[in-house]
């Protein structure tokens, strides 16, 4: 064995090799049109016992712990990057998909499992519950570089960020019903509302506390602020879990609150979390790949069962669930079709598939192998065609414009000033005005304007255009006045210009 031959040095070398392999896989995933998770899993399978035999890994509980930690980090990063203004418009539909949609998907899939596999109804519905939710890691990674319309992207991201509580609740409920005959279904239903309600409340509380801590605690090094943010993510999850509420929901909500607040070292926090989320995603999927045994996953009987269940999940259960969940909401038929197709499965179903194994349920190993195959099928079939389907349905949005630059030189907690980054859009009242025509706060100064790939030196006659990234140095006392000015909207869209005051 490789690890036995090289000891600690071998482990360190292997960890570096795994990360490099994941980075290379991520690089080629977009070129190949495949979700990166497929290639990460493939790396794990390749170096596992049925591949090159470098590592033998079958510790289900360790894989479960790594998966949970990775999902916390991934959900936190996804929530930080999500704009509340976009999510707010689809909040109700996302909640409907995350609850009613998951329930409908689980039940319909469970019916197919009952007829495909030789299992009881409770075991069939347990299988359906495990694969019932879309996966945040898969959805965030797949949509990140694709120009899907904002409404569709926000719906999918918010759904995947909030549907884990329902899937976890259903999974644990059916495990309890299978292993404990005296358990009452009706007594378990109130616990779901406890998990959702308390998880939401704790997310709001810890998100606010995290924002205040980041902005008001003076740390010796700017590099400690991103660490403080990720610490709040872990504290939020653990606190929620200790009182039997939804830790995943709490983390996502806390990240939404923090990400939509004005933060000291905002750019550093976001960059750090993006990097650590990629690391978590690479290691999680590689570990899950190691946990699987390709000889078992791709056994003819499992392939047949997996294909049959995948067909029902992708083409029947998910579409019916989407149409039921959004029937009274403002979605067009083609938008519902896209939401049906984009319901990616990923790490969450695989991690949940370890729960029956840990609980000692008979046939849980077979469940794990078939669920693993279903996830791979979903990632390959749906994940590789999302852009194509969106284009055919006319749901492609404008090219994503993200700043590949940072001016955070003076955003120091000990200083009495902040460097604000703000991107304008055509609805902002300041667009179309020259700098000298705008009544900025007295202690605010435009440091730079980034327009596309060009750095524009600001002068009094420089006109602000939609899409500009403004970098403004402002005293902390006038920070609020500046943000009110920047966020002011055009009161009369028919007018091309409107004098803007504080």
């Amino acid at each position: 064995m490789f690890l036995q031959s090289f000891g600690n040095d071998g482990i360190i070398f292997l960890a570096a090799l795994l990360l490099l392999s994941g980075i290379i896989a991520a690089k080629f995933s977009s070129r190949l049109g495949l979700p990166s998770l497929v290639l990460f899993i493939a790396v794990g399978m390749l170096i596992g016992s049925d591949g090159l035999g470098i590592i033998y890994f079958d510790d289900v509980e360790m894989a479960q712990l790594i998966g949970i930690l990775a999902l916390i980090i991934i959900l936190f990063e996804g929530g930080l990057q999500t704009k509340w203004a976009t999510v707010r418009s689809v909040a109700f539909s996302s909640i409907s998909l995350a609850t009613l949609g998951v329930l409908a998907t689980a039940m319909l899939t469970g019916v197919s499992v009952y007829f495909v596999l030789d299992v009881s109804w409770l075991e069939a519905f347990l299988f359906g519950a495990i694969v019932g939710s879309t996966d945040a890691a898969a959805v965030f990674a797949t949509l990140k570089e694709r120009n899907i319309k904002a409404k569709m992207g926000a719906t999918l991201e918010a759904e995947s960020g909030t549907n884990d509580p329902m899937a976890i609740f259903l999974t644990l409920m059916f495990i309890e019903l299978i292993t404990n005959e005296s358990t009452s279904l009706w007594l378990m239903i109130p616990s779901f509302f406890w998990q959702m309600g308390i998880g939401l409340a704790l997310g709001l509380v810890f998100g606010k506390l995290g924002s205040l801590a980041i902005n008001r605690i003076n740390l010796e090094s700017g590099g400690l602020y991103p660490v403080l943010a990720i610490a709040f993510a872990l504290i939020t999850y653990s606190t929620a879990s200790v009182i039997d509420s939804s830790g995943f929901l709490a983390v996502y909500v806390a990240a939404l609150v923090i990400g939509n607040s004005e933060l000291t070292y905002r750019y550093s926090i976001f960059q750090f979390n993006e990097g650590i989320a990629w690391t978590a995603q690479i290691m999680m999927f590689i570990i899950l790949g190691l946990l699987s045994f390709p000889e078992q996953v791709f056994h003819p009987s499992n392939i047949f069962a997996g294909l049959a269940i995948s067909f029902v999940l992708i083409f029947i259960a998910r579409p019916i669930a989407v149409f039921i969940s959004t029937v009274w909401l403002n979605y067009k038929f083609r938008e519902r079709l896209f939401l049906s197709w984009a319901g990616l499965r990923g790490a969450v179903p695989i991690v949940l598939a370890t729960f029956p194994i840990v609980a000692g349920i008979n046939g849980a190993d077979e469940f794990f192998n078939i669920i693993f195959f279903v996830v791979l099928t979903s990632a390959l079939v749906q994940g590789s065609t999302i852009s194509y389907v969106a284009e055919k349905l006319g749901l492609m949005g404008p090219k994503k414009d993200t700043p590949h630059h940072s001016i955070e030189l003076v955003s120091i907690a000990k200083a009495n000033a902040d460097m604000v980054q703000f991107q304008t859009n055509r609805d902002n009242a300041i667009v179309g005005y020259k700098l000298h025509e705008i009544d900025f706060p007295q202690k605010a100064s435009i440091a730079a304007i980034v327009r596309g790939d060009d750095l524009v030196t600001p002068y009094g006659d420089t006109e602000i255009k939609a899409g500009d990234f403004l970098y403004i140095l402002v005293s902390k006392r006038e920070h609020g006045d500046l943000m009110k000015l920047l966020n002011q909207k055009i009161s009369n869209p028919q007018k091309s210009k409107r004098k803007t005051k504080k």
Side-chain angles (χ1 to χ4, degrees), residues 227-383:
V227 179
L228 178 62
I230 203 69
F232 263 94
L234 298 174
I235 291 172
T236 301
Y237 176 85
S238 58
T239 303
S241 297
V242 163
I243 59 175
D244 293 327
S245 63
S246 175
F248 289 130
L249 177 61
V251 167
Y252 184 72
V253 172
L256 272 176
V257 174
I258 294 173
N260 286 274
S261 303
E262 291 299 322
L263 300 175
T264 299
Y265 285 102
R266 181 183 187 86
Y267 180 83
S268 298
I269 291 171
F270 277 45
Q271 288 296 96
F272 173 86
N273 278 277
E274 184 177 10
I276 197 172
W278 269 110
T279 303
Q281 188 176 162
I282 290 171
M283 297 307 296
M284 174 180 64
F285 283 116
I286 289 178
I287 291 295
L288 294 177
L290 284 171
L291 187 63
S292 69
F293 291 83
E295 184 178 343
Q296 298 174 16
V297 172
F298 298 109
H299 189 277
S301 61
N302 289 339
I303 291 177
F304 171 78
L307 287 175
I309 295 170
S310 295
F311 179 85
V312 173
L313 175 63
I314 295 172
F315 294 100
I316 299 176
R318 169 69 179 182
I320 290 176
V322 168
F323 276 76
I324 290 175
S325 303
T326 62
V327 66
W328 59 84
L329 301 174
N330 186 27
Y331 283 90
K332 299 177 182 177
F333 180 77
R334 57 192 176 93
E335 292 175 334
R336 292 189 174 95
L337 284 179
F338 179 74
L339 292 175
S340 301
W341 187 253
L344 296 177
R345 269 60 192 173
V348 170
I350 299 176
V351 172
L352 289 181
T354 64
F355 284 42
I357 298 176
V358 174
I361 293 178
N362 292 331
D365 290 331
E366 181 185 7
F367 267 31
F368 179 87
N369 292 325
I370 297 174
I371 288 168
F372 202 99
F373 185 87
V374 169
V375 168
L376 287 178
T377 303
S378 172
L380 285 169
V381 175
Q382 296 172 282

Side-chain angles (χ1 to χ4, degrees), residues 433 436-439 488 497-501:
Y433 281 89
H436 72 83
E437 296 176 321
I438 302 172
D439 191 10
Q488 188 176 339
K497 294 176 65 176
R498 178 177 180 270
K499 189 62 178 177
T500 307
K501 297 290 183 183

